[in-house]
Amino acid sequence: MNIAAPQASALQDDSIEQPLLSVRSLTRYYGTRIGCADISFDIWPGEVLAIVGESGSGKTTLLNCISTRLPPTSGTVSYSMRDGVLHDLFKLREADRRFLLRTDWGFVHQNPADGLRMAASAGANVGERLMAVGDRHYGHIRETAIDWLDRVEIDAGRIDDQPRAFSGGMRQRLQIARNLVTAPRLVFMDEPTGGLDVSVQARLLDLLRGLVNDLGLAVIIVTHDLAVARLLSHRMIVMKDGRVVEQGLTDRLLDDPQAPYTQLLVSSILQG
Amino acid sequence: MNAQQRTSTYNFAYLDEQTKRMIRRAILKAIAIPGYQVPFASREMPMPYGWGTGGVQVTAAILGPNDVLKVIDQGADDTTNAVSIRKFFERVAGIATTTKTSHATIIQTRHRIPEVPLTAGQVLVYQVPNPEPLRFLEPRETETRKMHALEEYGLMHVKLYEDIARNGHIATTYAYPVKIEGRYVMDPSPTPKFDNPKMHMSDALQLFGAGREKRIYALPPHTQVVSLDFEDHPFEVQRFDKPCALCGAEQVYLDEVILDDRGNRMFVCSDTDHCESRRAKGYRGELGGAQ
């Protein structure tokens, strides 16, 4: 399946009349301190949304709230399930939420050790989600794992090695394969290129961009790196002190920032 | 039988009545939810952890004055653990003990199920070191409990996958995970997987006690017990090339015994009672000697 531009495909598909995920007035307090406040946005199928901002601006809190890893203080997060109906995620049963997290969603952690089973082989890491949804054929699981390792540019000969024996970049690619194996529709990424050196970062971004285009994934990516946002995302949300400062199309926002804080962010990129 | 030898300063079967009630409540709950691990307030017993403190507490709680107790350790009636637990209950409960599987009403076992099929009315009590089958890949207790509650058992197959990836076949030979009545995944305690089929639809009640981990679980009679596997790597029990060297029995679980320092060895029944009763009936293996 080769879809040139996810946005275009989303527009062509008449059946898509509602957003995939809809966030309304989401607020999370830590005691009296604000984690993130009054945040509303929609994400549509096949769209890549970047959440940018400096450390402590509430990006990760927001990501954890919308991926149901953290309950919000107030506000709603609704998701369009495969039945086409928008469901309030925090009114679902926990079993359904967890099922969603390991089938229809993916979560790529900044530190691969948080998202991988370090004591299990690479093949088992990729195959775990398949086994969780009931695949009981070893040969099939292994075949799929080899296919996915290939797609994330890991040598199939490393399939029985543990992620401990992998470099940082390989671990991150393995984590991505592990998440995409069940063909999710929405993937959350928390600084996926953080902690990698520049050349590895570039390869990973290239890989991610290819996968997102090929699979028509919707992605919500948290990053402090504006270059990553420009390369991957269609739309951006800029956060500061837990609130949204500015949001819009990536090109528009980076080339013509309106809010003073966004202007500061954009101007603080090192010019080569 | 040996009532006169009973040490009368202890309550019947060592534990006080309130403790026995507490354990019985846990056992009843465990029977009501086959395969579910019920927490209980495990007591200190006059033996070290790992020697069967969980099994001993379960036995003490269900023991009545008319019960006949058999204790086996790796199938044998005559090893230290088996002998001392048998003596313990003779002394603190004054009950009758036996080594004959068919005579016993309660059989406490460490890691074997007797070869002779158990009958209705018999109770098999297992000593369990680690009741949590998911512990191998998930160290968090909060998480494993949630996984049991939500029936998230994909991880169990990750363990079997790793086995096949490393060894070409499922190399787990003991504590082989089973699914109970299509619901809970359970660790059958470190019994060899050879014994797993015997748990399925057994006529006897099976109780599992883990003293250090403070858990009791149970299989009521006629419970479905299915060993987990893959479609293309189905569950298989161990096979032995030779019959028992003493009694010639086939289709039984054998122990390896080293005979000398020149590589000679023999394989004999791990279930000593089964072996002895076969020899009493005149069966002989290659090293069993003349009749």
Side-chain angles (χ1 to χ4, degrees), chain A residues 94-95 98-99 102 117 119-125 127-128 131-132 134-142 145 159-160 162, chain B residues 136-140 143 146-147 150-162 164-166 179 229-233:
Chain A
E94 190 180 13
R98 284 171 66 110
F99 184 74
R102 63 174 193 266
R117 291 201 185 277
S121 69
N125 265 292
E128 182 179 346
M131 294 182 245
D135 195 330
R136 295 287 177 265
H137 193 282
Y138 175 81
H140 175 250
I141 293 166
R142 197 152 171 96
I159 187 169
D160 293 330
Q162 292 185 359
Chain B
F136 174 74
L137 285 168
E138 180 50 69
R140 288 169 293 178
E143 188 65 17
K146 198 166 270 182
M147 290 160 84
L150 302 177
E151 261 186 279
E152 291 179 5
Y153 290 130
L155 202 55
M156 216 60 256
H157 275 85
V158 171
K159 181 180 192 283
L160 300 179
Y161 171 96
E162 288 284 273
I164 304 174
R166 279 187 204 150
K179 196 162 203 180
D229 59 5
F230 285 103
E231 287 160 17
D232 46 348
H233 287 267

Side-chain angles (χ1 to χ4, degrees), chain A residues 50-237:
Chain A
I51 302 171
V52 300
E54 61 194 10
S55 295
S57 60
K59 304 184 301 265
T60 302
T61 299
L62 175 61
L63 191 74
N64 284 338
C65 282
I66 53 189
S67 60
T68 71
R69 292 156 54 83
L70 191 68
T73 312
S74 65
T76 60
V77 182
S78 320
Y79 180 70
S80 169
M81 307 278 256
R82 300 238 173 183
D83 60 7
V85 182
L86 271 176
H87 291 272
D88 185 343
L89 289 175
F90 290 96
K91 289 196 178 124
L92 287 179
R93 291 182 311 149
E94 190 180 13
D96 294 332
R97 276 206 302 267
R98 284 171 66 110
F99 184 74
L100 205 60
L101 257 171
R102 63 174 193 266
T103 54
D104 222 16
W105 290 4
F107 198 106
V108 178
H109 295 262
Q110 174 173 8
N111 179 3
D114 296 341
L116 292 171
R117 291 201 185 277
M118 300 304 275
S121 69
N125 265 292
V126 179
E128 182 179 346
R129 276 175 164 231
L130 295 176
M131 294 182 245
V133 294
D135 195 330
R136 295 287 177 265
H137 193 282
Y138 175 81
H140 175 250
I141 293 166
R142 197 152 171 96
E143 225 169 81
T144 315
I146 289 173
D147 179 46
W148 268 101
L149 290 182
D150 185 50
R151 288 169 88 161
V152 297
E153 298 164 19
I154 295 175
D155 181 27
R158 305 293 303 270
I159 187 169
D160 293 330
D161 292 350
Q162 292 185 359
R164 294 182 214 282
F166 286 9
S167 69
M170 280 172 79
R171 287 181 190 182
Q172 198 56 287
R173 293 202 298 272
L174 180 64
Q175 195 192 177
I176 289 164
R178 170 184 161 89
N179 274 288
L180 297 186
V181 69
T182 47
R185 294 192 297 161
L186 177 61
V187 178
F188 301 97
M189 296 185 187
D190 189 3
E191 306 268 10
T193 57
L196 301 176
D197 68 53
V198 187
S199 62
V200 174
Q201 221 181 75
R203 263 180 76 195
L204 187 74
L205 284 174
D206 199 38
L207 176 80
L208 271 179
R209 195 160 57 162
L211 287 172
V212 166
N213 281 342
D214 289 351
L215 304 171
L217 292 175
V219 178
I220 299 179
I221 180 167
V222 160
T223 180
H224 61 268
D225 187 340
L226 291 180
V228 171
R230 187 191 278 278
L231 209 58
L232 282 180
S233 69
H234 304 124
R235 226 150 41 84
M236 271 175 69
I237 290 179

